[in-house]
Amino acid sequence: MLKRIHKLRNIGRFKNCKSGSVEFGRLTILYGRNTYGKSTLGDVFASIQENDSGLVTSRMTIPHDGHPQHISLSLLPPNSTKEIPLTFDNGAWTGGLPAGLGFRTFDDGFIHRNVFVARQFNRDTKENFSAFVLGEQGVRQANSVADKKRARQKASRDRNQLEKVAFKDAGDLQSFLKLSPTGTLAESDAKLHSLRNDHAAVLKQQEQIQAIQARDEGTVLTWRTDFSDGLKALNRTLELGLEGAHKEAKAKVAQHINAAFQQAQGAE
């Protein structure tokens, strides 16, 4: 246990305090007005417990007299009469706690760090406080229970979402689930695929109908130039067909050979 505090220098209200003659017993009550250093001592003890020098360095005395912060105290192990020194110099604890000894600090600083942060009781502080109250084994069990609760909540959300989306037209879901299947899974998949294709074809037809309906109405064309002779020639050409055009072309070639060549052999 803590036996005595020998010296506190530039630690909050303790500018240069020497109190080595004061011993701590199994039960020691510290009392005093606000701003007289009770919380400062709590931070000193918490700094030992957490090995967090920042809890001390943040308590630098104002105004600063130029001397470094210093703490010297002594611990008394159970069933021993020899005190073990513990000091804080150069912004750190020297040596740390001896094996088998520990500090547990429960003060307003503990509450601020673990229970109420800026006067708010949030999830993190609840978890920290549960860890403090339950211990390591209790926290494992609490975490296991919390994981199972989250899994149950997720399964419930998934079930509700499935009922809303997949079974929204099923009516009585329990009765629907008791129905016997009318075919194999492969047959159902094939039927579903066929229905989807039919649905896509119907949608395409609807799009085509809408496109046709959206077309402009036709108007009668008026001719300012007489193309009747050209149209007749075009129609005659189209009436020939591919074979007829080939025959006429062949006849034209033969006519040209007769008119332009003395000998027909090799003229083609």
Side-chain angles (χ1 to χ4, degrees):
M1 67 177 185
L2 176 65
K3 184 62 177 177
R4 70 184 78 243
I5 299 176
H6 297 278
K7 186 175 182 180
L8 295 170
R9 180 147 197 173
N10 284 325
I11 312 295
R13 289 279 295 178
F14 304 101
K15 188 170 185 178
N16 190 13
C17 175
K18 299 178 181 179
S19 57
S21 60
V22 178
E23 296 186 12
F24 287 77
R26 290 181 60 83
L27 175 63
T28 302
I29 298 176
L30 301 178
Y31 64 93
R33 295 179 179 178
N34 291 337
T35 73
Y36 269 52
K38 301 187 299 298
S39 298
T40 299
L41 289 177
D43 280 347
V44 170
F45 300 150
S47 175
I48 299 173
Q49 174 184 336
E50 304 293 340
N51 194 23
D52 183 0
S53 59
L55 295 173
V56 174
T57 56
S58 63
R59 286 282 193 174
M60 178 69 72
T61 299
I62 300 174
H64 187 235
D65 60 5
H67 290 87
Q69 287 183 308
H70 172 77
I71 302 172
S72 60
L73 49 84
S74 59
L75 309 173
L76 184 63
N79 303 320
S80 175
T81 58
K82 184 178 180 180
E83 297 180 22
I84 299 176
L86 185 63
T87 60
F88 182 91
D89 282 308
N90 300 318
W93 290 100
T94 303
L97 281 174
L101 297 182
F103 262 87
R104 293 294 181 267
T105 307
F106 185 80
D107 60 353
D108 58 348
F110 173 89
I111 294 174
H112 176 74
R113 290 188 296 273
N114 297 282
V115 184
F116 296 98
V117 178
R119 298 184 178 179
Q120 292 183 358
F121 197 33
N122 56 32
R123 181 178 181 86
D124 292 336
T125 53
K126 288 179 182 178
E127 292 178 351
N128 292 337
F129 190 63
S130 296
F132 172 77
V133 173
L134 299 176
E136 183 177 356
Q137 182 177 2
V139 170
R140 287 199 299 267
Q141 293 177 350
N143 288 338
S144 176
V145 171
D147 291 340
K148 291 178 180 178
K149 285 184 178 179
R150 284 192 290 269
R152 184 183 65 182
Q153 292 171 353
K154 182 180 183 303
S156 179
R157 288 194 301 269
D158 292 344
R159 181 199 62 195
N160 294 337
Q161 184 68 14
L162 188 61
E163 290 180 359
K164 179 188 287 187
V165 176
F167 300 103
K168 61 180 180 179
D169 298 326
D172 184 359
L173 181 59
Q174 296 301 323
S175 299
F176 175 79
L177 294 176
K178 293 178 181 179
L179 294 175
S180 299
T182 57
T184 65
L185 181 60
E187 293 172 346
S188 298
D189 287 341
K191 185 175 181 180
L192 178 61
H193 182 70
S194 176
L195 291 174
R196 284 177 174 170
N197 289 338
D198 293 343
H199 181 253
V202 170
L203 291 180
K204 187 174 182 180
Q205 289 178 356
Q206 290 178 348
E207 293 175 356
Q208 292 174 345
I209 292 173
Q210 294 174 356
I212 293 173
Q213 291 176 343
R215 292 177 181 174
D216 294 335
E217 294 291 339
T219 57
V220 178
L221 296 178
T222 58
W223 298 93
R224 297 184 180 181
T225 305
D226 186 5
F227 293 100
S228 57
D229 292 339
L231 290 175
K232 290 178 181 178
L234 178 61
N235 288 332
R236 283 196 301 270
T237 303
L238 294 176
E239 287 172 356
L240 290 174
L242 184 60
E243 186 64 26
H246 178 70
K247 290 181 178 180
E248 285 204 3
K250 189 174 182 180
K252 291 288 186 182
V253 171
Q255 183 180 358
H256 176 70
I257 290 174
N258 292 330
F261 290 84
Q262 293 182 356
Q263 295 183 357
Q265 185 177 4
E268 289 187 5

Coordinates of all heavy atoms in Angstrom, one line a residue, residues 147-210:
D147 N -22.4 -9.9 -28.7 CA -22.3 -10.4 -30.1 C -23.5 -11.2 -30.5 O -24.0 -11.1 -31.6 CB -21.0 -11.2 -30.2 CG -19.8 -10.4 -30.1 OD1 -19.8 -9.2 -30.3 OD2 -18.7 -11.0 -29.8
K148 N -24.0 -12.0 -29.6 CA -25.2 -12.8 -29.9 C -26.4 -12.0 -30.1 O -27.3 -12.2 -30.9 CB -25.4 -13.8 -28.8 CG -24.3 -14.9 -28.7 CD -24.6 -15.9 -27.6 CE -23.5 -17.0 -27.5 NZ -23.7 -17.9 -26.4
K149 N -26.5 -10.9 -29.3 CA -27.6 -10.0 -29.4 C -27.6 -9.3 -30.8 O -28.6 -9.1 -31.5 CB -27.6 -8.9 -28.3 CG -28.1 -9.5 -27.0 CD -28.1 -8.3 -25.9 CE -28.7 -8.8 -24.6 NZ -28.7 -7.8 -23.6
R150 N -26.4 -8.9 -31.2 CA -26.2 -8.2 -32.5 C -26.6 -9.2 -33.6 O -27.2 -8.8 -34.6 CB -24.8 -7.7 -32.7 CG -24.6 -6.4 -31.9 CD -23.3 -5.7 -32.3 NE -22.1 -6.5 -31.9 CZ -21.5 -6.4 -30.7 NH1 -21.9 -5.4 -29.9 NH2 -20.4 -7.1 -30.4
A151 N -26.1 -10.5 -33.5 CA -26.4 -11.5 -34.5 C -27.9 -11.7 -34.6 O -28.5 -11.8 -35.7 CB -25.7 -12.8 -34.2
R152 N -28.6 -11.8 -33.4 CA -30.1 -12.0 -33.4 C -30.8 -10.8 -34.0 O -31.7 -11.0 -34.8 CB -30.5 -12.2 -32.0 CG -32.0 -12.5 -31.8 CD -32.5 -12.6 -30.4 NE -32.3 -11.3 -29.7 CZ -32.6 -11.1 -28.4 NH1 -33.0 -12.1 -27.7 NH2 -32.5 -9.9 -27.9
Q153 N -30.3 -9.6 -33.7 CA -30.9 -8.4 -34.3 C -30.8 -8.4 -35.8 O -31.7 -8.0 -36.5 CB -30.4 -7.1 -33.6 CG -30.7 -7.0 -32.2 CD -30.0 -5.8 -31.5 OE1 -29.0 -5.3 -32.1 NE2 -30.3 -5.5 -30.3
K154 N -29.6 -8.7 -36.3 CA -29.3 -8.8 -37.7 C -30.2 -9.8 -38.4 O -30.8 -9.6 -39.5 CB -27.9 -9.1 -38.0 CG -27.5 -9.1 -39.5 CD -26.1 -9.3 -39.7 CE -25.7 -9.3 -41.2 NZ -26.5 -10.2 -42.0
A155 N -30.3 -11.0 -37.8 CA -31.2 -12.0 -38.3 C -32.6 -11.6 -38.4 O -33.4 -11.8 -39.4 CB -31.1 -13.3 -37.5
S156 N -33.1 -10.8 -37.4 CA -34.4 -10.3 -37.3 C -34.6 -9.3 -38.4 O -35.7 -9.3 -39.1 CB -34.7 -9.7 -36.0 OG -36.0 -9.2 -35.9
R157 N -33.6 -8.4 -38.6 CA -33.8 -7.4 -39.7 C -33.8 -8.1 -41.1 O -34.6 -7.7 -41.9 CB -32.6 -6.4 -39.6 CG -32.7 -5.5 -38.4 CD -31.7 -4.3 -38.6 NE -30.3 -4.8 -38.7 CZ -29.5 -4.9 -37.7 NH1 -29.9 -4.7 -36.5 NH2 -28.3 -5.3 -37.8
D158 N -32.9 -9.1 -41.3 CA -32.9 -9.8 -42.5 C -34.2 -10.5 -42.8 O -34.7 -10.5 -43.9 CB -31.8 -10.8 -42.6 CG -30.4 -10.2 -42.5 OD1 -30.3 -9.0 -42.9 OD2 -29.4 -10.9 -42.2
R159 N -34.8 -11.1 -41.7 CA -36.1 -11.8 -41.9 C -37.2 -10.8 -42.3 O -38.0 -11.1 -43.2 CB -36.5 -12.5 -40.6 CG -37.8 -13.3 -40.6 CD -38.3 -13.5 -39.2 NE -38.6 -12.3 -38.5 CZ -38.7 -12.2 -37.2 NH1 -38.6 -13.3 -36.5 NH2 -39.0 -11.0 -36.7
N160 N -37.2 -9.7 -41.6 CA -38.2 -8.7 -41.9 C -38.1 -8.1 -43.3 O -39.1 -7.9 -44.0 CB -38.2 -7.5 -40.9 CG -38.5 -8.0 -39.5 OD1 -39.2 -9.0 -39.3 ND2 -38.1 -7.2 -38.5
Q161 N -36.8 -7.9 -43.7 CA -36.6 -7.4 -45.1 C -37.0 -8.5 -46.1 O -37.6 -8.1 -47.2 CB -35.1 -7.1 -45.3 CG -34.7 -6.5 -46.6 CD -35.3 -5.1 -46.8 OE1 -35.8 -4.5 -45.8 NE2 -35.3 -4.6 -48.0
L162 N -36.7 -9.8 -45.8 CA -37.1 -10.8 -46.8 C -38.6 -10.9 -46.9 O -39.2 -11.1 -48.0 CB -36.5 -12.2 -46.3 CG -36.6 -13.4 -47.2 CD1 -35.9 -13.1 -48.5 CD2 -36.1 -14.6 -46.5
E163 N -39.3 -10.8 -45.7 CA -40.8 -10.8 -45.8 C -41.3 -9.7 -46.6 O -42.3 -9.9 -47.3 CB -41.3 -10.8 -44.3 CG -41.0 -12.1 -43.5 CD -41.6 -12.0 -42.1 OE1 -42.2 -10.9 -41.8 OE2 -41.5 -12.9 -41.4
K164 N -40.7 -8.5 -46.4 CA -41.2 -7.3 -47.2 C -41.0 -7.4 -48.7 O -41.8 -7.1 -49.5 CB -40.5 -6.1 -46.6 CG -41.0 -4.8 -47.3 CD -40.1 -3.6 -46.9 CE -40.5 -3.2 -45.5 NZ -39.8 -1.9 -45.1
V165 N -39.8 -7.9 -49.1 CA -39.4 -7.9 -50.5 C -39.9 -9.2 -51.2 O -40.6 -9.2 -52.2 CB -37.9 -7.7 -50.6 CG1 -37.5 -7.8 -52.1 CG2 -37.5 -6.4 -50.0
A166 N -39.5 -10.4 -50.6 CA -39.7 -11.6 -51.4 C -41.1 -12.2 -51.1 O -41.6 -13.0 -52.0 CB -38.6 -12.6 -51.0
F167 N -41.7 -11.9 -50.0 CA -43.0 -12.6 -49.6 C -44.1 -11.6 -49.4 O -45.0 -11.8 -48.7 CB -42.8 -13.4 -48.4 CG -41.8 -14.5 -48.5 CD1 -40.5 -14.4 -47.9 CD2 -42.1 -15.7 -49.2 CE1 -39.6 -15.4 -48.0 CE2 -41.1 -16.7 -49.3 CZ -39.9 -16.6 -48.7
K168 N -44.0 -10.4 -50.0 CA -44.9 -9.4 -49.8 C -46.3 -9.8 -50.3 O -47.4 -9.3 -49.8 CB -44.5 -8.1 -50.5 CG -44.3 -8.2 -52.0 CD -43.9 -6.8 -52.6 CE -43.7 -6.9 -54.1 NZ -43.3 -5.6 -54.6
D169 N -46.4 -10.6 -51.3 CA -47.7 -11.1 -51.9 C -48.1 -12.5 -51.4 O -49.0 -13.0 -52.0 CB -47.6 -11.0 -53.4 CG -47.4 -9.6 -54.0 OD1 -47.8 -8.7 -53.3 OD2 -46.7 -9.5 -55.0
A170 N -47.4 -13.0 -50.4 CA -47.6 -14.4 -50.0 C -48.8 -14.5 -49.1 O -49.3 -15.6 -48.8 CB -46.4 -14.9 -49.3
G171 N -49.3 -13.4 -48.5 CA -50.4 -13.4 -47.6 C -50.0 -14.0 -46.2 O -49.1 -13.4 -45.6
D172 N -50.5 -15.1 -45.8 CA -50.1 -15.8 -44.6 C -48.8 -16.5 -44.9 O -48.7 -17.5 -45.5 CB -51.2 -16.8 -44.2 CG -50.8 -17.4 -42.8 OD1 -49.7 -17.1 -42.3 OD2 -51.6 -18.3 -42.3
L173 N -47.7 -16.0 -44.3 CA -46.3 -16.5 -44.6 C -46.2 -17.9 -44.1 O -45.6 -18.7 -44.8 CB -45.3 -15.6 -44.0 CG -43.8 -16.0 -44.3 CD1 -43.5 -16.0 -45.7 CD2 -42.9 -15.0 -43.5
Q174 N -46.7 -18.2 -43.0 CA -46.5 -19.6 -42.4 C -47.2 -20.6 -43.3 O -46.7 -21.7 -43.6 CB -47.0 -19.6 -41.0 CG -46.3 -18.7 -40.0 CD -44.8 -19.1 -39.9 OE1 -44.4 -20.3 -40.0 NE2 -43.9 -18.1 -39.8
S175 N -48.4 -20.3 -43.7 CA -49.1 -21.2 -44.6 C -48.4 -21.3 -46.0 O -48.3 -22.4 -46.6 CB -50.6 -20.7 -44.9 OG -51.3 -20.6 -43.6
F176 N -47.9 -20.2 -46.5 CA -47.1 -20.3 -47.7 C -45.9 -21.2 -47.6 O -45.6 -21.9 -48.5 CB -46.7 -18.8 -48.1 CG -45.8 -18.8 -49.3 CD1 -46.4 -18.9 -50.6 CD2 -44.5 -18.6 -49.2 CE1 -45.6 -18.8 -51.7 CE2 -43.7 -18.6 -50.3 CZ -44.2 -18.7 -51.6
L177 N -45.2 -21.1 -46.5 CA -44.0 -21.9 -46.3 C -44.3 -23.4 -46.2 O -43.5 -24.2 -46.5 CB -43.2 -21.4 -45.1 CG -42.6 -20.0 -45.2 CD1 -42.0 -19.6 -43.9 CD2 -41.6 -19.9 -46.3
K178 N -45.5 -23.7 -45.8 CA -45.9 -25.1 -45.7 C -46.4 -25.7 -47.0 O -46.6 -27.0 -47.1 CB -47.1 -25.2 -44.6 CG -46.6 -24.9 -43.2 CD -47.8 -25.0 -42.3 CE -47.4 -24.6 -40.8 NZ -48.5 -24.7 -39.9
L179 N -46.5 -24.9 -48.0 CA -46.9 -25.4 -49.3 C -45.9 -26.4 -49.9 O -44.7 -26.2 -49.7 CB -47.2 -24.3 -50.3 CG -48.4 -23.4 -50.0 CD1 -48.4 -22.2 -51.0 CD2 -49.7 -24.1 -50.0
S180 N -46.4 -27.4 -50.6 CA -45.4 -28.3 -51.3 C -45.1 -27.8 -52.7 O -45.9 -27.2 -53.4 CB -46.1 -29.7 -51.5 OG -46.4 -30.2 -50.2
P181 N -43.8 -28.0 -53.1 CA -43.4 -27.5 -54.4 C -44.1 -28.2 -55.5 O -44.4 -29.4 -55.4 CB -41.9 -27.7 -54.4 CG -41.7 -28.8 -53.4 CD -42.7 -28.6 -52.4
T182 N -44.4 -27.5 -56.6 CA -45.1 -28.1 -57.8 C -44.2 -28.6 -58.8 O -44.6 -29.2 -59.8 CB -46.0 -27.0 -58.4 OG1 -45.2 -25.9 -58.8 CG2 -47.1 -26.5 -57.4
G183 N -42.9 -28.4 -58.6 CA -41.9 -29.0 -59.6 C -40.5 -28.9 -59.0 O -40.3 -28.4 -57.9
T184 N -39.5 -29.4 -59.8 CA -38.2 -29.4 -59.3 C -37.6 -27.9 -59.4 O -38.2 -27.1 -60.1 CB -37.3 -30.3 -60.1 OG1 -37.2 -29.8 -61.4 CG2 -37.9 -31.7 -60.1
L185 N -36.5 -27.7 -58.7 CA -35.9 -26.4 -58.8 C -35.4 -26.1 -60.2 O -35.6 -24.9 -60.7 CB -34.6 -26.4 -57.9 CG -33.9 -25.1 -57.8 CD1 -34.8 -23.9 -57.3 CD2 -32.7 -25.2 -56.9
A186 N -34.9 -27.1 -61.0 CA -34.5 -26.8 -62.4 C -35.7 -26.4 -63.2 O -35.6 -25.5 -64.1 CB -33.8 -28.1 -62.9
E187 N -36.8 -27.1 -63.0 CA -38.0 -26.8 -63.8 C -38.5 -25.4 -63.4 O -38.9 -24.6 -64.3 CB -39.1 -27.8 -63.5 CG -38.8 -29.2 -64.0 CD -39.8 -30.2 -63.6 OE1 -40.6 -29.9 -62.6 OE2 -39.8 -31.3 -64.1
S188 N -38.5 -25.0 -62.2 CA -38.9 -23.7 -61.8 C -38.0 -22.6 -62.4 O -38.4 -21.6 -62.8 CB -38.9 -23.6 -60.2 OG -39.8 -24.5 -59.7
D189 N -36.7 -22.9 -62.4 CA -35.7 -21.9 -63.0 C -36.0 -21.8 -64.5 O -35.9 -20.7 -65.0 CB -34.3 -22.4 -62.7 CG -33.9 -22.2 -61.3 OD1 -34.5 -21.4 -60.6 OD2 -32.9 -22.9 -60.9
A190 N -36.2 -22.9 -65.2 CA -36.5 -22.8 -66.6 C -37.8 -22.0 -66.9 O -37.8 -21.2 -67.8 CB -36.6 -24.2 -67.2
K191 N -38.8 -22.3 -66.1 CA -40.1 -21.5 -66.2 C -39.9 -20.1 -66.0 O -40.4 -19.2 -66.7 CB -41.1 -22.1 -65.3 CG -42.5 -21.5 -65.5 CD -43.5 -22.2 -64.6 CE -44.9 -21.6 -64.8 NZ -45.9 -22.3 -64.0
L192 N -39.1 -19.8 -64.9 CA -38.9 -18.4 -64.6 C -38.1 -17.7 -65.7 O -38.4 -16.5 -66.1 CB -38.1 -18.3 -63.3 CG -37.7 -16.9 -62.8 CD1 -38.9 -16.0 -62.6 CD2 -36.8 -17.0 -61.5
H193 N -37.1 -18.4 -66.3 CA -36.3 -17.8 -67.4 C -37.2 -17.6 -68.6 O -37.1 -16.5 -69.2 CB -35.2 -18.8 -67.7 CG -34.3 -18.3 -68.8 ND1 -33.4 -17.2 -68.7 CD2 -34.2 -18.7 -70.1 CE1 -32.8 -17.0 -69.8 NE2 -33.2 -17.9 -70.7
S194 N -38.1 -18.5 -68.9 CA -39.0 -18.3 -70.0 C -40.0 -17.1 -69.8 O -40.2 -16.3 -70.7 CB -39.9 -19.6 -70.2 OG -40.8 -19.4 -71.2
L195 N -40.5 -17.0 -68.6 CA -41.4 -15.9 -68.3 C -40.7 -14.6 -68.4 O -41.2 -13.6 -68.8 CB -42.0 -16.1 -66.9 CG -43.0 -17.2 -66.7 CD1 -43.4 -17.4 -65.2 CD2 -44.2 -17.0 -67.6
R196 N -39.4 -14.5 -67.9 CA -38.7 -13.3 -68.0 C -38.4 -12.9 -69.5 O -38.5 -11.7 -69.8 CB -37.3 -13.5 -67.3 CG -37.4 -13.4 -65.8 CD -36.1 -13.7 -65.1 NE -36.2 -13.5 -63.7 CZ -35.2 -13.8 -62.8 NH1 -34.1 -14.4 -63.3 NH2 -35.4 -13.6 -61.5
N197 N -38.2 -13.9 -70.3 CA -38.0 -13.6 -71.8 C -39.3 -13.1 -72.4 O -39.3 -12.2 -73.2 CB -37.5 -14.9 -72.5 CG -36.1 -15.3 -72.2 OD1 -35.3 -14.4 -71.7 ND2 -35.7 -16.5 -72.4
D198 N -40.4 -13.7 -72.0 CA -41.7 -13.2 -72.5 C -42.0 -11.8 -72.0 O -42.5 -11.0 -72.8 CB -42.8 -14.2 -72.0 CG -42.7 -15.6 -72.6 OD1 -42.0 -15.7 -73.6 OD2 -43.4 -16.5 -72.0
H199 N -41.6 -11.6 -70.8 CA -41.9 -10.2 -70.3 C -41.0 -9.2 -71.0 O -41.5 -8.1 -71.4 CB -41.5 -10.2 -68.8 CG -41.7 -8.9 -68.1 ND1 -40.7 -8.1 -67.7 CD2 -42.9 -8.2 -67.8 CE1 -41.1 -7.0 -67.2 NE2 -42.5 -7.0 -67.2
A200 N -39.7 -9.6 -71.3 CA -38.8 -8.7 -72.0 C -39.4 -8.4 -73.4 O -39.3 -7.3 -74.0 CB -37.4 -9.3 -72.1
A201 N -39.9 -9.5 -74.1 CA -40.5 -9.3 -75.4 C -41.7 -8.4 -75.4 O -41.9 -7.6 -76.3 CB -40.9 -10.7 -76.0
V202 N -42.5 -8.5 -74.4 CA -43.7 -7.7 -74.3 C -43.3 -6.2 -74.1 O -43.8 -5.3 -74.7 CB -44.6 -8.1 -73.2 CG1 -45.7 -7.1 -72.9 CG2 -45.2 -9.5 -73.5
L203 N -42.3 -6.0 -73.3 CA -41.8 -4.6 -73.0 C -41.2 -4.0 -74.3 O -41.4 -2.9 -74.6 CB -40.7 -4.7 -72.0 CG -41.2 -5.0 -70.5 CD1 -40.0 -4.9 -69.6 CD2 -42.2 -3.9 -70.1
K204 N -40.5 -4.9 -75.1 CA -40.0 -4.4 -76.4 C -41.1 -4.0 -77.4 O -41.0 -3.0 -78.1 CB -39.1 -5.5 -77.0 CG -38.3 -5.0 -78.2 CD -37.3 -6.0 -78.7 CE -36.5 -5.5 -79.9 NZ -35.5 -6.6 -80.3
Q205 N -42.1 -4.8 -77.4 CA -43.3 -4.5 -78.3 C -43.9 -3.2 -77.9 O -44.3 -2.4 -78.7 CB -44.3 -5.7 -78.2 CG -43.8 -6.9 -78.9 CD -44.9 -8.1 -78.8 OE1 -45.9 -7.9 -78.2 NE2 -44.6 -9.2 -79.5
Q206 N -44.1 -3.0 -76.6 CA -44.7 -1.8 -76.1 C -43.8 -0.6 -76.5 O -44.4 0.5 -76.9 CB -44.8 -1.9 -74.6 CG -45.9 -2.8 -74.1 CD -45.9 -2.9 -72.6 OE1 -45.1 -2.4 -71.9 NE2 -47.0 -3.5 -72.0
E207 N -42.5 -0.7 -76.4 CA -41.6 0.4 -76.8 C -41.8 0.6 -78.3 O -41.8 1.8 -78.7 CB -40.2 0.0 -76.5 CG -39.9 -0.1 -75.0 CD -38.5 -0.5 -74.7 OE1 -37.8 -0.9 -75.7 OE2 -38.1 -0.5 -73.5
Q208 N -41.9 -0.4 -79.1 CA -42.1 -0.2 -80.6 C -43.4 0.4 -80.9 O -43.5 1.3 -81.7 CB -42.0 -1.6 -81.3 CG -40.6 -2.2 -81.2 CD -40.5 -3.6 -81.8 OE1 -41.6 -4.2 -82.0 NE2 -39.3 -4.1 -82.1
I209 N -44.5 0.0 -80.2 CA -45.8 0.6 -80.4 C -45.7 2.1 -80.0 O -46.2 3.0 -80.8 CB -46.8 -0.1 -79.5 CG1 -47.1 -1.5 -80.0 CG2 -48.1 0.7 -79.5 CD1 -48.0 -2.3 -79.2
Q210 N -45.1 2.4 -78.9 CA -44.9 3.8 -78.5 C -44.1 4.6 -79.5 O -44.5 5.8 -79.8 CB -44.3 3.9 -77.1 CG -45.2 3.3 -76.0 CD -44.4 3.3 -74.7 OE1 -43.3 3.6 -74.6 NE2 -45.2 2.9 -73.6

